Amino acid sequence: MLQPGIQPGRSALNARASELGLYLIGFHNPVTGLLREISIEAEQIADDISYRRNRRKAAEILPV
């Protein structure tokens, strides 16, 4: 269904999908519990979104 570069792996973050703004959560069933893993992945995604927004704002202020 998804292109190979976008398919979710063991982590919610995927470099190509992140560039597109596509985040996928809960695609594997860990031994530690799915809700716990979703919580961890959600925090990683929020951090990535924040990082990308800040980087974009910095590029607008300080063009290279």
Side-chain angles (χ1 to χ4, degrees):
M1 187 165 118
L2 296 172
Q3 296 175 358
I6 299 176
Q7 292 178 351
R10 302 297 280 166
S11 171
L13 292 179
N14 175 313
R16 177 66 179 131
S18 178
E19 290 172 6
L20 298 173
L22 176 65
Y23 299 95
L24 305 168
I25 294 179
F27 275 86
H28 66 281
N29 193 6
V31 178
T32 58
L34 186 58
L35 291 178
R36 177 183 174 277
E37 195 67 24
I38 287 174
S39 170
I40 293 168
E41 290 177 356
E43 288 180 15
Q44 292 172 346
I45 289 171
D47 289 343
D48 187 65
I49 291 170
S50 176
Y51 170 77
R52 289 184 177 281
R53 278 190 177 170
N54 290 337
R55 195 173 73 184
R56 196 174 327 130
K57 286 180 184 178
E60 291 173 0
I61 295 170
L62 303 168
V64 178

